[in-house]
PDB file of all heavy atoms in Angstrom:
ATOM      1  N   LEU S1461       0.835  -1.269  -0.036  1.00  0.00           N
ATOM      2  CA  LEU S1461       0.065   0.034  -0.015  1.00  0.00           C
ATOM      3  C   LEU S1461       0.834   1.310  -0.006  1.00  0.00           C
ATOM      4  O   LEU S1461       0.557   2.340  -0.754  1.00  0.00           O
ATOM      5  CB  LEU S1461      -0.999  -0.025   1.229  1.00  0.00           C
ATOM      6  CG  LEU S1461      -1.977  -1.174   1.295  1.00  0.00           C
ATOM      7  CD1 LEU S1461      -2.707  -1.173   2.636  1.00  0.00           C
ATOM      8  CD2 LEU S1461      -3.017  -0.969   0.113  1.00  0.00           C
ATOM      9  N   VAL S1462       2.052   1.252   0.721  1.00  0.00           N
ATOM     10  CA  VAL S1462       2.866   2.462   0.747  1.00  0.00           C
ATOM     11  C   VAL S1462       3.427   2.635  -0.646  1.00  0.00           C
ATOM     12  O   VAL S1462       3.514   3.669  -1.098  1.00  0.00           O
ATOM     13  CB  VAL S1462       3.973   2.144   1.728  1.00  0.00           C
ATOM     14  CG1 VAL S1462       5.123   3.189   1.645  1.00  0.00           C
ATOM     15  CG2 VAL S1462       3.543   2.129   3.111  1.00  0.00           C
ATOM     16  N   ALA S1463       3.838   1.439  -1.303  1.00  0.00           N
ATOM     17  CA  ALA S1463       4.534   1.592  -2.614  1.00  0.00           C
ATOM     18  C   ALA S1463       3.454   2.139  -3.632  1.00  0.00           C
ATOM     19  O   ALA S1463       3.821   2.812  -4.587  1.00  0.00           O
ATOM     20  CB  ALA S1463       4.919   0.218  -3.039  1.00  0.00           C
ATOM     21  N   ALA S1464       2.278   1.916  -3.413  1.00  0.00           N
ATOM     22  CA  ALA S1464       1.069   2.276  -4.376  1.00  0.00           C
ATOM     23  C   ALA S1464       0.605   3.654  -3.956  1.00  0.00           C
ATOM     24  O   ALA S1464      -0.343   4.262  -4.712  1.00  0.00           O
ATOM     25  CB  ALA S1464      -0.018   1.222  -4.385  1.00  0.00           C
ATOM     26  N   GLY S1465       1.108   4.219  -2.887  1.00  0.00           N
ATOM     27  CA  GLY S1465       0.658   5.512  -2.508  1.00  0.00           C
ATOM     28  C   GLY S1465      -0.830   5.552  -1.928  1.00  0.00           C
ATOM     29  O   GLY S1465      -1.390   6.553  -2.078  1.00  0.00           O
ATOM     30  N   ILE S1466      -1.192   4.429  -1.212  1.00  0.00           N
ATOM     31  CA  ILE S1466      -2.568   4.376  -0.717  1.00  0.00           C
ATOM     32  C   ILE S1466      -2.493   4.579   0.740  1.00  0.00           C
ATOM     33  O   ILE S1466      -1.674   3.847   1.427  1.00  0.00           O
ATOM     34  CB  ILE S1466      -3.166   3.000  -1.145  1.00  0.00           C
ATOM     35  CG1 ILE S1466      -3.288   2.986  -2.636  1.00  0.00           C
ATOM     36  CG2 ILE S1466      -4.446   2.757  -0.429  1.00  0.00           C
ATOM     37  CD1 ILE S1466      -3.738   1.609  -3.153  1.00  0.00           C
ATOM     38  N   SER S1467      -3.490   5.220   1.270  1.00  0.00           N
ATOM     39  CA  SER S1467      -3.509   5.459   2.736  1.00  0.00           C
ATOM     40  C   SER S1467      -4.103   4.236   3.369  1.00  0.00           C
ATOM     41  O   SER S1467      -4.887   3.573   2.879  1.00  0.00           O
ATOM     42  CB  SER S1467      -4.474   6.621   2.957  1.00  0.00           C
ATOM     43  OG  SER S1467      -4.594   6.915   4.465  1.00  0.00           O
ATOM     44  N   PHE S1468      -3.600   4.034   4.544  1.00  0.00           N
ATOM     45  CA  PHE S1468      -4.094   2.865   5.341  1.00  0.00           C
ATOM     46  C   PHE S1468      -4.042   2.999   6.810  1.00  0.00           C
ATOM     47  O   PHE S1468      -3.385   3.837   7.409  1.00  0.00           O
ATOM     48  CB  PHE S1468      -3.205   1.548   4.942  1.00  0.00           C
ATOM     49  CG  PHE S1468      -1.860   1.660   5.478  1.00  0.00           C
ATOM     50  CD1 PHE S1468      -1.433   0.964   6.731  1.00  0.00           C
ATOM     51  CD2 PHE S1468      -0.742   2.166   4.887  1.00  0.00           C
ATOM     52  CE1 PHE S1468      -0.269   0.938   7.194  1.00  0.00           C
ATOM     53  CE2 PHE S1468       0.537   2.231   5.344  1.00  0.00           C
ATOM     54  CZ  PHE S1468       0.760   1.625   6.562  1.00  0.00           C
ATOM     55  N   GLU S1469      -4.749   2.164   7.493  1.00  0.00           N
ATOM     56  CA  GLU S1469      -4.820   2.215   9.002  1.00  0.00           C
ATOM     57  C   GLU S1469      -4.776   0.771   9.491  1.00  0.00           C
ATOM     58  O   GLU S1469      -5.405  -0.174   8.870  1.00  0.00           O
ATOM     59  CB  GLU S1469      -6.155   2.745   9.420  1.00  0.00           C
ATOM     60  CG  GLU S1469      -6.390   2.867  10.991  1.00  0.00           C
ATOM     61  CD  GLU S1469      -7.765   3.370  11.435  1.00  0.00           C
ATOM     62  OE1 GLU S1469      -8.236   4.342  10.722  1.00  0.00           O
ATOM     63  OE2 GLU S1469      -8.291   2.936  12.264  1.00  0.00           O
ATOM     64  N   VAL S1470      -4.107   0.594  10.536  1.00  0.00           N
ATOM     65  CA  VAL S1470      -3.919  -0.764  11.146  1.00  0.00           C
ATOM     66  C   VAL S1470      -4.888  -0.784  12.334  1.00  0.00           C
ATOM     67  O   VAL S1470      -4.818   0.011  13.272  1.00  0.00           O
ATOM     68  CB  VAL S1470      -2.445  -1.161  11.461  1.00  0.00           C
ATOM     69  CG1 VAL S1470      -2.395  -2.475  12.105  1.00  0.00           C
ATOM     70  CG2 VAL S1470      -1.509  -1.038  10.215  1.00  0.00           C
ATOM     71  N   VAL S1471      -5.718  -1.870  12.428  1.00  0.00           N
ATOM     72  CA  VAL S1471      -6.446  -2.046  13.636  1.00  0.00           C
ATOM     73  C   VAL S1471      -6.216  -3.371  14.183  1.00  0.00           C
ATOM     74  O   VAL S1471      -6.513  -4.449  13.605  1.00  0.00           O
ATOM     75  CB  VAL S1471      -8.069  -2.062  13.169  1.00  0.00           C
ATOM     76  CG1 VAL S1471      -8.919  -2.276  14.447  1.00  0.00           C
ATOM     77  CG2 VAL S1471      -8.482  -0.726  12.468  1.00  0.00           C
ATOM     78  N   PRO S1472      -5.402  -3.485  15.244  1.00  0.00           N
ATOM     79  CA  PRO S1472      -4.945  -4.670  15.794  1.00  0.00           C
ATOM     80  C   PRO S1472      -6.125  -5.599  16.239  1.00  0.00           C
ATOM     81  O   PRO S1472      -7.169  -5.073  16.624  1.00  0.00           O
ATOM     82  CB  PRO S1472      -4.087  -4.237  17.017  1.00  0.00           C
ATOM     83  CG  PRO S1472      -3.720  -2.827  16.838  1.00  0.00           C
ATOM     84  CD  PRO S1472      -4.810  -2.249  15.985  1.00  0.00           C
ATOM     85  N   GLY S1473      -5.843  -6.897  16.155  1.00  0.00           N
ATOM     86  CA  GLY S1473      -6.778  -7.789  16.616  1.00  0.00           C
ATOM     87  C   GLY S1473      -6.128  -8.764  17.791  1.00  0.00           C
ATOM     88  O   GLY S1473      -4.949  -8.669  17.995  1.00  0.00           O
ATOM     89  N   ILE S1474      -6.961  -9.361  18.501  1.00  0.00           N
ATOM     90  CA  ILE S1474      -6.472 -10.225  19.549  1.00  0.00           C
ATOM     91  C   ILE S1474      -5.885 -11.531  18.906  1.00  0.00           C
ATOM     92  O   ILE S1474      -6.483 -12.196  18.065  1.00  0.00           O
ATOM     93  CB  ILE S1474      -7.493 -10.776  20.530  1.00  0.00           C
ATOM     94  CG1 ILE S1474      -8.228  -9.489  21.170  1.00  0.00           C
ATOM     95  CG2 ILE S1474      -7.053 -11.681  21.603  1.00  0.00           C
ATOM     96  CD1 ILE S1474      -9.404  -9.776  22.083  1.00  0.00           C
ATOM     97  N   THR S1475      -4.622 -11.735  19.013  1.00  0.00           N
ATOM     98  CA  THR S1475      -3.899 -12.854  18.449  1.00  0.00           C
ATOM     99  C   THR S1475      -4.250 -14.159  18.960  1.00  0.00           C
ATOM    100  O   THR S1475      -4.393 -14.294  20.147  1.00  0.00           O
ATOM    101  CB  THR S1475      -2.378 -12.517  18.351  1.00  0.00           C
ATOM    102  OG1 THR S1475      -1.813 -13.577  17.659  1.00  0.00           O
ATOM    103  CG2 THR S1475      -1.840 -12.507  19.774  1.00  0.00           C
ATOM    104  N   SER S1476      -4.309 -15.266  18.152  1.00  0.00           N
ATOM    105  CA  SER S1476      -4.728 -16.528  18.583  1.00  0.00           C
ATOM    106  C   SER S1476      -3.643 -17.175  19.595  1.00  0.00           C
ATOM    107  O   SER S1476      -4.037 -18.006  20.411  1.00  0.00           O
ATOM    108  CB  SER S1476      -4.864 -17.483  17.340  1.00  0.00           C
ATOM    109  OG  SER S1476      -3.711 -17.488  16.647  1.00  0.00           O
ATOM    110  N   GLY S1477      -2.402 -16.669  19.584  1.00  0.00           N
ATOM    111  CA  GLY S1477      -1.490 -17.188  20.417  1.00  0.00           C
ATOM    112  C   GLY S1477      -1.587 -16.784  21.846  1.00  0.00           C
ATOM    113  O   GLY S1477      -1.136 -17.461  22.699  1.00  0.00           O
ATOM    114  N   ILE S1478      -2.366 -15.835  22.187  1.00  0.00           N
ATOM    115  CA  ILE S1478      -2.764 -15.419  23.530  1.00  0.00           C
ATOM    116  C   ILE S1478      -4.291 -15.992  23.759  1.00  0.00           C
ATOM    117  O   ILE S1478      -4.434 -16.332  24.924  1.00  0.00           O
ATOM    118  CB  ILE S1478      -2.639 -13.927  23.610  1.00  0.00           C
ATOM    119  CG1 ILE S1478      -1.217 -13.435  23.215  1.00  0.00           C
ATOM    120  CG2 ILE S1478      -2.983 -13.332  25.091  1.00  0.00           C
ATOM    121  CD1 ILE S1478      -0.079 -13.986  24.064  1.00  0.00           C
ATOM    122  N   ALA S1479      -5.029 -15.768  22.669  1.00  0.00           N
ATOM    123  CA  ALA S1479      -6.574 -16.033  23.087  1.00  0.00           C
ATOM    124  C   ALA S1479      -6.773 -17.505  23.195  1.00  0.00           C
ATOM    125  O   ALA S1479      -7.527 -18.059  24.104  1.00  0.00           O
ATOM    126  CB  ALA S1479      -7.326 -15.403  22.039  1.00  0.00           C
ATOM    127  N   ALA S1480      -6.325 -18.384  22.242  1.00  0.00           N
ATOM    128  CA  ALA S1480      -6.510 -19.700  22.306  1.00  0.00           C
ATOM    129  C   ALA S1480      -6.053 -20.426  23.606  1.00  0.00           C
ATOM    130  O   ALA S1480      -6.950 -21.131  24.351  1.00  0.00           O
ATOM    131  CB  ALA S1480      -5.927 -20.401  21.114  1.00  0.00           C
ATOM    132  N   PRO S1481      -4.865 -20.089  24.091  1.00  0.00           N
ATOM    133  CA  PRO S1481      -4.527 -20.652  25.403  1.00  0.00           C
ATOM    134  C   PRO S1481      -5.457 -20.125  26.487  1.00  0.00           C
ATOM    135  O   PRO S1481      -5.815 -21.070  27.440  1.00  0.00           O
ATOM    136  CB  PRO S1481      -3.150 -20.164  25.640  1.00  0.00           C
ATOM    137  CG  PRO S1481      -2.529 -20.102  24.248  1.00  0.00           C
ATOM    138  CD  PRO S1481      -3.671 -19.434  23.521  1.00  0.00           C
ATOM    139  N   ALA S1482      -5.784 -18.956  26.530  1.00  0.00           N
ATOM    140  CA  ALA S1482      -6.677 -18.302  27.612  1.00  0.00           C
ATOM    141  C   ALA S1482      -8.035 -19.041  27.517  1.00  0.00           C
ATOM    142  O   ALA S1482      -8.553 -19.440  28.635  1.00  0.00           O
ATOM    143  CB  ALA S1482      -6.909 -16.818  27.373  1.00  0.00           C
ATOM    144  N   TYR S1483      -8.517 -19.429  26.388  1.00  0.00           N
ATOM    145  CA  TYR S1483      -9.740 -20.107  26.312  1.00  0.00           C
ATOM    146  C   TYR S1483      -9.653 -21.543  26.634  1.00  0.00           C
ATOM    147  O   TYR S1483     -10.626 -22.322  26.935  1.00  0.00           O
ATOM    148  CB  TYR S1483     -10.359 -20.012  24.805  1.00  0.00           C
ATOM    149  CG  TYR S1483     -11.327 -18.736  24.640  1.00  0.00           C
ATOM    150  CD1 TYR S1483     -10.869 -17.580  24.961  1.00  0.00           C
ATOM    151  CD2 TYR S1483     -12.564 -18.950  24.101  1.00  0.00           C
ATOM    152  CE1 TYR S1483     -11.761 -16.331  24.823  1.00  0.00           C
ATOM    153  CE2 TYR S1483     -13.417 -17.821  23.915  1.00  0.00           C
ATOM    154  CZ  TYR S1483     -12.944 -16.521  24.286  1.00  0.00           C
ATOM    155  OH  TYR S1483     -13.743 -15.416  24.100  1.00  0.00           O
ATOM    156  N   ALA S1484      -8.352 -22.032  26.538  1.00  0.00           N
ATOM    157  CA  ALA S1484      -8.117 -23.471  27.179  1.00  0.00           C
ATOM    158  C   ALA S1484      -7.785 -23.607  28.497  1.00  0.00           C
ATOM    159  O   ALA S1484      -7.511 -24.607  29.056  1.00  0.00           O
ATOM    160  CB  ALA S1484      -7.095 -24.057  26.155  1.00  0.00           C
ATOM    161  N   GLY S1485      -7.773 -22.415  29.275  1.00  0.00           N
ATOM    162  CA  GLY S1485      -7.506 -22.479  30.616  1.00  0.00           C
ATOM    163  C   GLY S1485      -5.885 -22.391  30.812  1.00  0.00           C
ATOM    164  O   GLY S1485      -5.448 -22.864  31.886  1.00  0.00           O
ATOM    165  N   ILE S1486      -5.132 -21.928  29.953  1.00  0.00           N
ATOM    166  CA  ILE S1486      -3.615 -21.874  30.004  1.00  0.00           C
ATOM    167  C   ILE S1486      -3.240 -20.454  29.895  1.00  0.00           C
ATOM    168  O   ILE S1486      -3.198 -19.945  28.844  1.00  0.00           O
ATOM    169  CB  ILE S1486      -3.057 -22.647  28.881  1.00  0.00           C
ATOM    170  CG1 ILE S1486      -3.521 -24.187  29.039  1.00  0.00           C
ATOM    171  CG2 ILE S1486      -1.549 -22.729  28.983  1.00  0.00           C
ATOM    172  CD1 ILE S1486      -3.073 -25.044  27.909  1.00  0.00           C
ATOM    173  N   PRO S1487      -2.933 -19.857  31.073  1.00  0.00           N
ATOM    174  CA  PRO S1487      -2.224 -18.457  31.063  1.00  0.00           C
ATOM    175  C   PRO S1487      -0.815 -18.644  30.553  1.00  0.00           C
ATOM    176  O   PRO S1487      -0.068 -19.546  30.942  1.00  0.00           O
ATOM    177  CB  PRO S1487      -2.181 -18.016  32.453  1.00  0.00           C
ATOM    178  CG  PRO S1487      -2.282 -19.245  33.158  1.00  0.00           C
ATOM    179  CD  PRO S1487      -2.946 -20.359  32.450  1.00  0.00           C
ATOM    180  N   VAL S1488      -0.393 -17.811  29.423  1.00  0.00           N
ATOM    181  CA  VAL S1488       0.835 -18.021  28.986  1.00  0.00           C
ATOM    182  C   VAL S1488       2.062 -17.505  29.737  1.00  0.00           C
ATOM    183  O   VAL S1488       3.188 -17.828  29.653  1.00  0.00           O
ATOM    184  CB  VAL S1488       1.015 -17.313  27.470  1.00  0.00           C
ATOM    185  CG1 VAL S1488       0.073 -18.093  26.497  1.00  0.00           C
ATOM    186  CG2 VAL S1488       0.615 -15.861  27.521  1.00  0.00           C
ATOM    187  N   THR S1489       1.673 -16.593  30.792  1.00  0.00           N
ATOM    188  CA  THR S1489       2.655 -16.245  31.873  1.00  0.00           C
ATOM    189  C   THR S1489       1.891 -16.513  33.273  1.00  0.00           C
ATOM    190  O   THR S1489       0.722 -16.352  33.404  1.00  0.00           O
ATOM    191  CB  THR S1489       2.987 -14.836  31.724  1.00  0.00           C
ATOM    192  OG1 THR S1489       1.985 -13.959  31.872  1.00  0.00           O
ATOM    193  CG2 THR S1489       3.673 -14.502  30.288  1.00  0.00           C
ATOM    194  N   HIS S1490       2.803 -16.692  34.261  1.00  0.00           N
ATOM    195  CA  HIS S1490       2.289 -16.858  35.601  1.00  0.00           C
ATOM    196  C   HIS S1490       3.440 -16.752  36.571  1.00  0.00           C
ATOM    197  O   HIS S1490       4.435 -17.411  36.260  1.00  0.00           O
ATOM    198  CB  HIS S1490       1.682 -18.368  35.771  1.00  0.00           C
ATOM    199  CG  HIS S1490       0.906 -18.512  37.058  1.00  0.00           C
ATOM    200  ND1 HIS S1490       1.547 -18.748  38.335  1.00  0.00           N
ATOM    201  CD2 HIS S1490      -0.503 -18.566  37.291  1.00  0.00           C
ATOM    202  CE1 HIS S1490       0.608 -18.946  39.244  1.00  0.00           C
ATOM    203  NE2 HIS S1490      -0.650 -18.828  38.633  1.00  0.00           N
ATOM    204  N   ARG S1491       3.341 -15.947  37.506  1.00  0.00           N
ATOM    205  CA  ARG S1491       4.424 -15.697  38.449  1.00  0.00           C
ATOM    206  C   ARG S1491       5.096 -16.977  38.976  1.00  0.00           C
ATOM    207  O   ARG S1491       6.301 -16.962  39.316  1.00  0.00           O
ATOM    208  CB  ARG S1491       3.981 -14.798  39.573  1.00  0.00           C
ATOM    209  CG  ARG S1491       3.681 -13.374  39.070  1.00  0.00           C
ATOM    210  CD  ARG S1491       3.545 -12.472  40.309  1.00  0.00           C
ATOM    211  NE  ARG S1491       2.394 -12.731  41.142  1.00  0.00           N
ATOM    212  CZ  ARG S1491       2.227 -12.179  42.321  1.00  0.00           C
ATOM    213  NH1 ARG S1491       2.981 -11.225  42.788  1.00  0.00           N
ATOM    214  NH2 ARG S1491       1.200 -12.657  43.109  1.00  0.00           N
ATOM    215  N   GLU S1492       4.332 -17.980  39.166  1.00  0.00           N
ATOM    216  CA  GLU S1492       4.909 -19.253  39.889  1.00  0.00           C
ATOM    217  C   GLU S1492       5.425 -20.187  38.826  1.00  0.00           C
ATOM    218  O   GLU S1492       6.003 -21.232  39.130  1.00  0.00           O
ATOM    219  CB  GLU S1492       3.946 -19.841  40.725  1.00  0.00           C
ATOM    220  CG  GLU S1492       3.460 -19.052  41.861  1.00  0.00           C
ATOM    221  CD  GLU S1492       2.468 -19.889  42.729  1.00  0.00           C
ATOM    222  OE1 GLU S1492       2.079 -20.978  42.438  1.00  0.00           O
ATOM    223  OE2 GLU S1492       1.853 -19.114  43.662  1.00  0.00           O
ATOM    224  N   HIS S1493       5.187 -19.775  37.564  1.00  0.00           N
ATOM    225  CA  HIS S1493       5.634 -20.818  36.386  1.00  0.00           C
ATOM    226  C   HIS S1493       6.751 -20.090  35.468  1.00  0.00           C
ATOM    227  O   HIS S1493       7.750 -20.643  35.322  1.00  0.00           O
ATOM    228  CB  HIS S1493       4.533 -21.219  35.729  1.00  0.00           C
ATOM    229  CG  HIS S1493       3.702 -22.181  36.416  1.00  0.00           C
ATOM    230  ND1 HIS S1493       3.771 -23.561  36.304  1.00  0.00           N
ATOM    231  CD2 HIS S1493       2.667 -22.043  37.309  1.00  0.00           C
ATOM    232  CE1 HIS S1493       2.793 -24.209  37.087  1.00  0.00           C
ATOM    233  NE2 HIS S1493       2.163 -23.055  37.672  1.00  0.00           N
ATOM    234  N   CYS S1494       6.449 -18.978  34.989  1.00  0.00           N
ATOM    235  CA  CYS S1494       7.320 -18.262  34.040  1.00  0.00           C
ATOM    236  C   CYS S1494       7.013 -16.729  34.010  1.00  0.00           C
ATOM    237  O   CYS S1494       5.811 -16.442  34.172  1.00  0.00           O
ATOM    238  CB  CYS S1494       7.369 -18.934  32.793  1.00  0.00           C
ATOM    239  SG  CYS S1494       5.757 -18.760  31.760  1.00  0.00           S
ATOM    240  N   SER S1495       8.046 -15.988  33.553  1.00  0.00           N
ATOM    241  CA  SER S1495       7.733 -14.660  33.325  1.00  0.00           C
ATOM    242  C   SER S1495       8.213 -14.283  31.967  1.00  0.00           C
ATOM    243  O   SER S1495       8.520 -13.211  31.716  1.00  0.00           O
ATOM    244  CB  SER S1495       8.508 -13.858  34.356  1.00  0.00           C
ATOM    245  OG  SER S1495      10.009 -14.066  34.249  1.00  0.00           O
ATOM    246  N   GLN S1496       8.329 -15.142  31.083  1.00  0.00           N
ATOM    247  CA  GLN S1496       8.743 -14.966  29.743  1.00  0.00           C
ATOM    248  C   GLN S1496       7.938 -15.821  28.738  1.00  0.00           C
ATOM    249  O   GLN S1496       7.544 -17.011  28.995  1.00  0.00           O
ATOM    250  CB  GLN S1496      10.192 -15.300  29.597  1.00  0.00           C
ATOM    251  CG  GLN S1496      10.656 -15.185  28.093  1.00  0.00           C
ATOM    252  CD  GLN S1496      12.257 -15.577  28.033  1.00  0.00           C
ATOM    253  OE1 GLN S1496      12.900 -15.517  29.051  1.00  0.00           O
ATOM    254  NE2 GLN S1496      12.485 -16.183  26.898  1.00  0.00           N
ATOM    255  N   VAL S1497       7.456 -15.271  27.626  1.00  0.00           N
ATOM    256  CA  VAL S1497       6.754 -16.027  26.562  1.00  0.00           C
ATOM    257  C   VAL S1497       7.346 -15.595  25.314  1.00  0.00           C
ATOM    258  O   VAL S1497       7.668 -14.482  24.959  1.00  0.00           O
ATOM    259  CB  VAL S1497       5.163 -15.711  26.678  1.00  0.00           C
ATOM    260  CG1 VAL S1497       4.914 -14.252  26.415  1.00  0.00           C
ATOM    261  CG2 VAL S1497       4.451 -16.538  25.634  1.00  0.00           C
TER     262      VAL S1497
END
């Protein structure tokens, strides 16, 4: 779009790598398990 000279806007979405684990009952970080993902 930049190369074509077209204006654009980015609207972020909730990424599946965070949402899918949350819906499966798996927090990707936890103070007693890890502080890095």
Side-chain angles (χ1 to χ4, degrees):
L1461 295 170
V1462 171
I1466 294 170
S1467 178
F1468 70 94
E1469 176 183 329
V1470 179
V1471 182
I1474 299 177
T1475 183
S1476 57
I1478 304 300
Y1483 272 51
I1486 302 171
V1488 294
T1489 64
H1490 190 285
R1491 287 191 301 171
E1492 296 180 7
H1493 290 264
C1494 70
S1495 57
Q1496 176 182 328
V1497 58

